[in-house]
Amino acid sequence: MPLPDHGMNRDELFEQVSQRKSADAKWEQGRTFSLIYPTGRQDVDDVLMEANRLYLYENALNPIRFPSLGQMELDIVEMTGALVNLPTAGGGTMASGGSESILMSVLVNRDRAQRDRGIEPAKGNIVYPTSAHAAFAKAAHYLELEARPIPIKADFTADVDAMADAIDDNTVLVMGSAYGYPHGVMDPIEDLSNLALERGIGFHSDTCVGAFVLPFLERLGYDIPPYDFRLPGVTEMSCDVHKYGYATKGASVILHRNSEWIGLQYFLYTSWPSGLYGTPTVAGARPAGPIAAAWSVMNYLGMDGYLELMRGLMATTKKFRDGIEAIPQLRIMGNPIGPLLTFTSDEIDTYAVCDLMDDRGWNLDRNTNPNGLHMMISPLHEKYVEEFLVDLRWAVANHGESRGIEARYN
Ligand SMILES: Cc1ncc(COP(=O)(O)O)c(C=O)c1O
């Protein structure tokens, strides 16, 4: 559409915006199980809105002009680092999301491998389980590294022996997920990071979803296998505040065991007429709202606030899990550790079930290989468990043929 000749009045404008928005996912009604991580608490939402309002116009590109933003970023990195036991020699930066944190980690490891091991970037490869987030394949693509996805085991965890076989002299990074997006299961981070350590290769523990879950589960007494910088082989961790840290979108942290490596992340440039230009991540101009929101929500909730939310969230997750397991045709895939689970069936077509759930307004994501339905559970879902399970039981009892992908998007 062309730019309108004349501006609209405000009422008409927002009437149109609301109309357009009406077809979007009804996440406020607990219908969405990925993309958004609502606490369901008005007080938390108010904090996020006020922080975003206060920093609507500022630009995080320049922390000298906006020192409050620079300091908030340092605080967020430090608070996050403390949660995952970053050593004092370590450091990190914020990024716009998990994918950018991962891109920065792959970049740093590619360039570190060139500097320290003489591996030409064009010859480098990264080794990861097929359950790794797509951001690793994307980073390999952008940075022209060979991607080596390694098939996972029947329990959906990384296959350590197969990963060991795939590593060679040109491997610049090995990774595992703690925990992974597709099934919510923990990879054997200790064994995988040891593989990398023994060979002098970087190891990325991807805790984009786990960083604001696992530290709290540990404190609540859950038995959590090691996954963070307490393992000597872990060199990088990605930690998204905009997932279970409950910040609004645009807030992730990339941490390095050695703060000296952050230099490899920076782009610094002086050969243009506008003086020194430097950025730690891909973006130039950067929104300030996500930084203010992340800092504010972390300080508003504090350790006890996160623990309280986590206690409730695990109780809600158990209700979903018990309800799904009570449906004879369904089974949970693998052993999910936190508030993320996927279920499948050996008897019925779960995509056909998902079609009926779509009709009732529930947005589940479809897993492949094998087919399954994916749920990231948030505190808001507490109010909707029973309603969901009633509809799921109905959908399992009444499903027909799966309508196929065209029907879903037309
Ligand atoms: C384990 C894991 N890593 C990375 C990402 C990518 O994060 P983002 O979508 O913020 O780029 C996700 C997103 O869900 C994830 O679950």
Side-chain angles (χ1 to χ4, degrees):
M1 68 184 244
L3 187 68
D5 289 337
H6 307 291
M8 274 180 214
N9 74 42
R10 202 194 131 98
D11 289 348
E12 202 187 325
L13 177 78
F14 285 109
E15 169 67 38
Q16 277 215 19
V17 172
S18 305
Q19 216 173 3
R20 282 165 186 251
K21 208 166 184 267
S22 63
D24 291 354
K26 303 286 176 288
W27 64 268
E28 303 98 322
Q29 295 161 28
R31 293 311 202 246
T32 302
F33 289 92
S34 63
L35 304 169
I36 300 190
Y37 304 78
T39 60
R41 271 176 43 183
Q42 192 58 50
D43 60 326
V44 176
D45 290 346
D46 287 346
V47 165
L48 293 170
M49 279 188 248
E50 181 61 5
N52 275 290
R53 192 189 66 77
L54 282 170
Y55 280 87
L56 197 57
Y57 299 104
E58 280 69 11
N59 186 346
L61 171 61
N62 191 331
I64 298 166
R65 283 286 177 273
F66 302 111
S68 66
L69 286 170
Q71 189 55 52
M72 280 194 274
E73 289 200 70
L74 291 175
D75 293 348
I76 292 164
V77 169
E78 249 181 60
M79 288 188 281
T80 307
L83 277 180
V84 296
N85 298 291
L86 181 71
T88 46
T93 72
M94 285 193 74
S96 61
S99 300
E100 196 180 27
S101 285
I102 288 165
L103 180 64
M104 292 301 104
S105 168
V106 176
L107 171 71
V108 165
N109 279 286
R110 184 194 72 169
D111 291 357
R112 206 156 64 81
Q114 182 178 27
R115 186 190 69 185
D116 300 342
R117 294 163 57 209
I119 300 173
E120 282 307 313
K123 297 222 167 77
N125 67 70
I126 65 172
V127 175
Y128 55 85
T130 48
S131 54
H133 192 274
F136 284 90
K138 184 174 173 179
H141 173 68
Y142 282 176
L143 298 168
E144 299 189 325
L145 293 163
E146 182 198 340
R148 292 191 177 169
I150 307 302
I152 49 179
K153 297 199 302 187
D155 64 0
F156 307 106
T157 63
D159 182 335
V160 179
D161 293 335
M163 299 247 316
D165 289 345
I167 297 171
D168 63 18
D169 290 345
N170 288 323
T171 301
V172 302
L173 185 67
V174 180
M175 69 73 65
S177 305
Y179 42 92
Y181 181 82
H183 314 97
V185 301
M186 289 281 272
D187 281 331
I189 301 295
E190 183 163 17
D191 292 344
L192 292 173
S193 62
N194 281 340
L195 285 182
L197 184 65
E198 285 155 13
R199 294 160 176 78
I201 301 170
F203 181 86
H204 185 121
S205 176
D206 181 6
T207 56
C208 281
V209 259
F212 287 84
V213 170
L214 300 174
F216 306 129
L217 290 184
E218 261 190 285
R219 284 168 176 81
L220 291 175
Y222 286 76
D223 188 17
I224 306 294
Y227 62 93
D228 68 9
F229 286 105
R230 284 170 288 185
L231 294 171
V234 171
T235 56
E236 265 77 22
M237 289 183 73
S238 45
C239 311
D240 290 358
V241 199
H242 71 195
K243 294 192 168 74
Y244 288 95
Y246 306 117
T248 39
K249 290 291 170 289
S252 175
V253 173
I254 175 66
L255 296 170
H256 304 276
R257 173 174 288 279
N258 184 340
S259 60
E260 182 239 322
W261 302 337
I262 300 173
L264 296 170
Q265 211 185 289
Y266 265 83
F267 178 77
L268 294 173
Y269 191 66
T270 50
S271 305
W272 71 325
S274 284
L276 173 66
Y277 180 93
T279 56
T281 50
V282 176
R286 269 193 307 141
I291 299 167
W295 191 93
S296 300
V297 75
M298 289 172 87
N299 281 286
Y300 181 70
L301 289 172
M303 183 61 79
D304 51 3
Y306 279 112
L307 289 176
E308 186 192 323
L309 279 169
M310 188 52 63
R311 207 178 280 118
L313 181 55
M314 289 310 282
T316 302
T317 302
K318 185 172 178 334
K319 284 187 199 155
F320 276 115
R321 194 170 171 158
D322 290 349
I324 292 164
E325 281 173 335
I327 301 174
Q329 294 94 329
L330 303 182
R331 70 179 164 82
I332 304 286
M333 297 164 86
N335 185 22
I337 196 162
L340 190 173
L341 56 86
T342 305
F343 58 92
T344 187
S345 176
D346 302 319
E347 299 165 41
I348 60 173
D349 180 353
T350 45
Y351 283 11
V353 172
C354 202
D355 289 340
L356 292 190
M357 292 299 275
D358 279 338
D359 292 346
R360 296 221 161 168
W362 299 102
N363 305 133
L364 299 171
D365 289 322
R366 291 162 174 84
N367 262 38
T368 51
N369 194 21
N371 288 1
L373 303 183
H374 179 264
M375 301 172 71
M376 288 178 106
I377 298 156
S378 290
L380 172 71
H381 290 123
E382 183 187 0
K383 288 187 275 191
Y384 302 98
V385 180
E386 280 318 314
E387 205 183 325
F388 173 87
L389 290 172
V390 166
D391 283 349
L392 183 62
R393 284 190 287 267
W394 168 82
V396 167
N398 291 287
H399 74 90
E401 294 275 301
S402 165
R403 293 174 204 148
I405 196 158
E406 293 81 8
R408 288 202 288 275
Y409 296 107
N410 286 326

